[in-house]
Amino acid sequence: MDMSVFDLFKIGIGPSSSHTVGPMVAARRFLLEASPLDDAVSVEAALYGSLALTGVGHGTDKAVILGLMGETPQDIDPDSADDQFANAQLDGVLQLLGTPKEVPFTLAFHKQETLPEHPNGMRFTLRYADGREFVREYYSIGGGFIRAAGEEQGGEDAPGAPIPYPFDTMEQLLALGQQSGLSIPAMMRANEEARMSREALNEGLDRIWHVMRDCIAHGLVTEGQLPGGLNVKRRAARLWQQAEAAGQADGLPHDALHHVTLYAMAVNEENAAGGRVVTAPTNGAAGIIPAVLRYFAEDCKSADPDEGLRKFLLTASAIGMLCKRNASISGAEVGCQGEVGVACAMAAAGLVAALGGSNAQIENAAEIGIEHHLGMTCDPIGGLVQIPCIERNGMGAIKAITAASLALKGDGTHFVSLDNVIETMRQTGADMQAKYKETSLGGLAVHVVTVNHPAC
């Protein structure tokens, strides 16, 4: 496996890694592969499957247009994205890759069709003045990862510098730990430092945490109504104000955990509003890891909190890599067990590592995190990453802390291996009906009557 921690943790914008970040990356990649663009006369984007069914609610249309204009998820200004999209729609033309070259564009939603390799399919067509066409298909496979049609599963993991501790399963990673005497975060650090310097790695990890921390902070002071038509009000800021005002007056022993819930909700409200977030490992589950990281930073005793935060992220990335490689982190492929369930497992394992737990305890925590999300559907109301997604992140963060606590109070011995539970998640996702996998055709998405949103 040759993924990096920075593949699992990407800085981008909301509301969805698979429906916003991935399509933006794919659209830009398409035009880069189609260059030169001088003789282009039109461009067409066609969305299929889950991208078509929930694309408007997830901002896929906006993401594709912005990607064709040359924007990237990590660099785009979230405050300007809506204006750029609105101007392109009004004019009916866009500037390819931000160049002066303007062409008309069309965007089609094929809700009854699915491309063969993944539920999140896209087809792009660039037409030239001499009648030629350049056509490519791409798939957004979760967490902001994409692959072109025909690329091998895992083809996004391009071979890089050899790493000292290669692994494809948790069994292999544990065996490497026994042979080397190293912890999981130490092995992950060694793998990353085969690609970059220690200073660059630390700077990158610290930047990920700082973006997460800032996202929480912004979400805890921002009120108002979320976009999309469901008229969902932000709650994290109001509840945070109440919690701060109450202090210890109410005598409740769970204040820290209540705060964790609000941290996660704050991030996912920011995500639902199209704000700056870190994909962790997806946008729909982006609140869990930041919430548990802040819990570690503020409520757990650590001799070296900065290094603890880095160990957390490195260990969490190992769990995310295993889940992505051996199952999926795409809600359109395996349901929300692959998003909130995986994020919970990553956070639980990361917290155990940051607190000095053993490799066996790290595995145990991750296994508990996924096990108790098995079968969770992805059924967003109106195709929006709001209900039940925002609260689901708050609950997932609490489950992660509980899983870490259970693992740390044991000796690492456990009955179900992480590899087994990941394979169970994969099989459960394969058995799950398509209407429960990010199509908004089943579950809560159809059993809640809404009159204000046309997609419901």
Side-chain angles (χ1 to χ4, degrees):
M1 185 183 311
D2 200 29
M3 275 182 276
S4 166
V5 60
F6 302 114
D7 293 327
L8 270 295
F9 297 112
K10 301 183 182 76
I11 298 172
I13 60 170
S16 172
S17 50
S18 61
H19 287 57
T20 309
V21 175
M24 188 183 297
V25 172
R28 185 173 183 272
R29 173 178 163 180
F30 167 71
L31 288 182
L32 290 172
E33 292 177 349
S35 295
L37 306 174
D38 297 342
D39 295 330
V41 294
S42 70
V43 63
E44 176 184 312
L47 306 176
Y48 295 84
S50 177
L51 291 183
L53 288 163
T54 64
V56 173
H58 285 79
T60 309
D61 48 354
K62 179 171 72 173
V64 166
I65 297 304
L66 292 173
L68 292 172
M69 295 169 67
E71 295 285 3
T72 62
Q74 66 270 23
D75 294 323
I76 190 171
D77 177 6
D79 294 330
S80 70
D82 287 338
D83 288 342
Q84 290 187 67
F85 176 54
N87 290 335
Q89 284 188 308
L90 182 64
D91 297 338
V93 298
L94 53 80
Q95 293 180 310
L96 299 181
L97 294 181
T99 67
K101 178 67 176 180
E102 286 189 342
V103 301
F105 69 89
T106 57
L107 182 61
F109 294 81
H110 297 278
K111 297 183 178 182
Q112 305 302 319
E113 298 179 58
T114 301
L115 295 181
E117 296 181 25
H118 193 279
N120 291 334
M122 297 161 275
R123 179 181 293 133
F124 296 95
T125 304
L126 190 69
R127 295 183 174 86
Y128 295 93
D130 60 5
R132 288 180 300 119
E133 291 185 349
F134 181 80
V135 183
R136 289 288 185 273
E137 292 178 356
Y138 301 91
Y139 297 90
S140 182
I141 58 176
F145 289 91
I146 65 166
R147 71 167 183 263
E151 279 184 349
E152 302 213 356
Q153 184 80 20
E156 69 281 354
D157 306 336
I163 56 176
Y165 302 103
F167 63 97
D168 289 321
T169 66
M170 177 54 82
E171 182 180 13
Q172 293 174 359
L173 187 57
L174 291 173
L176 288 169
Q178 289 181 331
Q179 294 165 12
S180 65
L182 296 177
S183 67
I184 288 175
M187 289 186 287
M188 295 302 295
R189 175 173 282 281
N191 284 350
E192 294 294 334
E193 289 180 2
R195 305 179 177 97
M196 66 189 76
S197 69
R198 175 172 290 258
E199 292 74 18
L201 175 59
N202 287 344
E203 287 176 7
L205 293 172
D206 293 348
R207 182 174 182 232
I208 292 296
W209 162 234
H210 293 159
V211 174
M212 288 179 170
R213 181 192 62 193
D214 293 347
C215 184
I216 294 174
H218 194 268
L220 289 177
V221 298
T222 305
E223 300 185 76
Q225 188 168 285
L226 295 173
L230 289 183
N231 300 323
V232 173
K233 292 183 178 180
R234 288 180 181 247
R235 289 181 291 162
R238 175 177 55 83
L239 293 173
W240 179 253
Q241 291 168 7
Q242 292 176 358
E244 290 292 279
Q248 299 296 323
D250 54 15
L252 292 175
H254 60 270
D255 285 344
L257 294 186
H258 177 56
H259 290 168
V260 169
T261 302
L262 298 185
Y263 301 155
M265 290 177 61
V267 170
N268 281 84
E269 287 177 355
E270 286 291 291
N271 178 63
R276 176 75 65 211
V277 298
V278 175
T279 299
T282 67
N283 283 29
I288 294 172
I289 289 172
V292 180
L293 269 171
R294 180 160 166 173
Y295 170 78
F296 167 76
E298 296 190 355
D299 295 289
C300 299
K301 294 180 180 179
S302 173
D304 189 347
D306 289 339
E307 188 57 29
L309 291 166
R310 295 166 187 156
K311 288 181 179 179
F312 187 121
L313 290 171
L314 288 166
T315 303
S317 72
I319 306 305
M321 292 173 190
L322 290 169
C323 292
K324 181 183 182 301
R325 184 167 191 83
N326 298 317
S328 176
I329 57 172
S330 167
E333 197 167 24
V334 296
C336 199
Q337 59 177 353
E339 297 201 34
V340 164
V342 171
C344 176
M346 292 170 67
L351 183 57
V352 169
L355 292 173
S358 68
N359 289 349
Q361 289 172 321
I362 289 170
E363 184 202 16
N364 190 17
E367 180 274 321
I368 293 170
I370 294 181
E371 182 180 325
H372 297 288
H373 287 92
L374 287 174
M376 179 176 280
T377 59
C378 184
D379 51 354
I381 296 175
L384 298 166
V385 191
Q386 297 178 15
I387 304 173
C389 317
I390 294 170
E391 286 182 355
R392 193 170 277 178
N393 274 258
M395 300 299 291
I398 299 303
K399 282 187 178 183
I401 294 172
T402 302
S405 177
L406 287 171
L408 284 168
K409 287 179 169 59
D411 62 3
T413 304
H414 50 286
F415 193 81
V416 180
S417 73
L418 179 62
D419 291 330
N420 283 338
V421 81
I422 290 174
E423 173 59 18
T424 301
M425 179 176 71
R426 186 192 67 79
Q427 293 183 17
T428 302
D431 292 340
M432 190 181 292
Q433 293 184 47
K435 68 180 182 179
Y436 297 118
K437 295 192 285 189
E438 207 168 4
T439 60
S440 289
L441 297 176
L444 285 175
V446 299
H447 289 108
V448 175
V449 177
T450 58
V451 297
N452 294 322
H453 196 281
C456 300

